[in-house]
Amino acid sequence: MNPMVDFDSAEHPYDERFAKYRELFAQGSDVERTDDPFHARIRGWRMDRSLLFVREYGGVRHLRKERVARDGFDHFVLHHVVSGELVGGSPERPVRVLPGETLLLDTCCPMLAGSRNVALVTVSLAREAMRAAAGNLEGLHGRKISARDGALLTALLRTLAEQAPILSPGAQPAATRALVDLLSVATNPFGMGARSDYYRLEYARREAVLRVIDARLADRDFGIDDLVREVGISRASLYRLFEDQGGVANFIKLRRLRHLRDRLDNRAFDAQPLSVLAPQSGFAGESHASRLFKKAFGISPGAYRTASIRSTMEQDVEIMVRRWANSMSEITHRS
């Protein structure tokens, strides 16, 4: 799987390194230099309603304060420390996070994260997934999961970081489900209550529907009646699950667009023109796919593919920012 973000400060001129790094994070945080030497290496992959990053950095501090009220972010961030030390959490009450520990942050709240030198596995996770894992979201912002309570979660996060480059799109939903399950154990080491069970049931229902949708994307005639029959869910429950995404039909359209985008990002499909890829994603044809793709992502499929190919040969921060922004919007708006 091609990385969404692949940045190494050492590959830029010395006097441009920090500016490029700050530009990369401009969508989500204000970045400040500290007195320590600056360096940064980041690789990130788009998963199923989550983003996974392997990061090494030092000499910087990330802040979210005033922008919380205006940028619309509405998801959780998990920072798992592999080596070094992270200082983060609420700006008024930051905590030290050591190797083996994991820090939870809510993007709807002011936060900071910085280090002299740290290696992290970071996950941006949709709020619905965090609710399915923890049940009650109160008190999670700035919470530190100990190495003991998060031992199983740690094993999965580090394995995902190793396997991300070769993880197939079809395996991503299962990886996200495993992440939710083990995050549940880490945040509720003494067991979960009825409220948590309810949210997990809703999440499981949504996952079942999603698996059927993804399996039938190429079928243009696939619709709501097929979902009701194949999943065994009532229409009322189905509509409730996807109300936040503008309805079931709109959600299916979005999944088709992302399927097409993934093909355009995959170098194995470069020889296939859009006229071939569009029907494989369930679109009527090339013009139909092009119109909806540009409306959703702000760029034509052809231009997107050209930029994607170029990004595999050079570090283009502008392209990485576009990919990151689109992906962040998807998990933030629960779509």
Side-chain angles (χ1 to χ4, degrees), residues 4 35 46 58 90 99 104 201 239 243 248 258:
M4 172 189 65
D35 295 333
R46 190 167 44 220
S90 167
L104 305 181
L201 177 59
Y239 291 150
E243 183 178 359
V248 184
R258 287 166 202 168

Side-chain angles (χ1 to χ4, degrees), residues 260-324:
L260 177 58
R261 182 188 60 190
D262 289 342
R263 293 294 177 94
L264 297 174
D265 261 331
N266 191 329
R267 302 284 69 85
F269 294 94
D270 282 349
Q272 297 187 18
L274 183 60
S275 60
V276 172
L277 295 179
Q280 293 175 1
S281 298
F283 296 103
E286 182 175 351
S287 61
H288 181 217
S290 294
R291 175 168 47 84
L292 294 178
F293 191 96
K294 187 169 185 177
K295 184 178 180 180
F297 302 123
I299 187 173
S300 70
Y304 183 89
R305 173 180 267 176
T306 299
S308 180
I309 293 172
R310 188 171 78 246
S311 72
T312 63
M313 298 181 288
E314 60 186 63
Q315 277 206 334
D316 191 318
V317 172
E318 183 179 352
I319 294 171
M320 286 187 269
V321 169
R322 178 186 289 273
R323 286 177 173 170
W324 197 339

Side-chain angles (χ1 to χ4, degrees), residues 3-240:
M4 172 189 65
V5 174
D6 192 352
F7 177 87
D8 189 343
S9 59
E11 295 186 9
H12 295 278
Y14 182 80
D15 58 350
E16 298 179 9
R17 292 176 181 177
F18 178 70
K20 292 290 186 182
Y21 180 80
R22 184 171 54 194
E23 179 185 350
L24 188 63
F25 280 89
Q27 286 289 123
S29 65
D30 299 312
V31 184
E32 301 176 349
R33 287 286 303 269
T34 67
D35 295 333
D36 299 300
F38 166 70
H39 71 278
R41 176 76 172 95
I42 304 172
R43 300 191 78 200
W45 296 267
R46 190 167 44 220
M47 305 284 285
D48 179 64
R49 281 165 297 129
S50 64
L51 308 178
L52 175 71
F53 301 90
V54 177
R55 307 169 61 193
E56 299 176 16
Y57 71 84
V60 293
R61 179 169 51 240
H62 295 250
L63 293 166
R64 278 181 57 79
K65 289 186 177 180
E66 291 79 8
R67 65 168 54 237
V68 169
R70 66 175 186 265
D71 65 14
F73 281 10
D74 185 19
H75 62 277
F76 273 78
V77 177
L78 286 65
H79 289 310
H80 173 70
V81 176
V82 177
S83 64
E85 176 185 316
L86 181 73
V87 176
S90 167
E92 291 75 27
R93 297 181 299 278
V95 296
R96 295 171 62 234
V97 189
L98 302 177
E101 298 177 336
T102 301
L103 179 67
L104 305 181
L105 297 173
D106 185 341
T107 58
C108 290
C109 303
M111 67 176 70
L112 70 81
S115 178
R116 299 183 62 183
N117 188 31
V118 70
L120 300 168
V121 177
T122 296
V123 176
S124 295
L125 189 65
R127 182 170 294 271
E128 64 170 0
M130 178 60 76
R131 184 177 286 110
N136 188 353
L137 300 182
E138 294 180 8
L140 287 185
H141 179 59
R143 177 175 170 181
K144 182 171 64 173
I145 298 174
S146 69
R148 183 180 67 179
D149 289 343
L152 293 174
L153 177 65
T154 293
L156 177 63
L157 289 174
R158 298 191 183 194
T159 299
L160 283 176
E162 294 173 356
Q163 295 297 312
I166 59 174
L167 191 66
S168 69
Q172 292 176 18
T176 301
R177 289 195 297 273
L179 175 61
V180 169
D181 286 339
L182 296 186
L183 186 55
S184 172
V185 175
T187 55
N188 299 280
F190 301 107
M192 301 179 66
R195 183 179 182 183
S196 298
D197 287 339
Y198 169 78
Y199 286 125
R200 288 173 66 77
L201 177 59
E202 289 289 282
Y203 188 79
R205 285 177 175 171
R206 194 174 186 278
E207 285 288 302
V209 173
L210 182 59
R211 288 195 293 274
V212 173
I213 291 174
D214 285 347
R216 299 283 299 276
L217 281 179
D219 183 356
R220 286 183 55 208
D221 296 326
F222 175 73
I224 294 174
D225 288 339
D226 301 289
L227 275 175
V228 170
R229 183 177 60 257
E230 294 188 28
V231 180
I233 189 173
S234 70
R235 281 178 173 268
S237 296
L238 184 62
Y239 291 150
R240 186 185 69 250

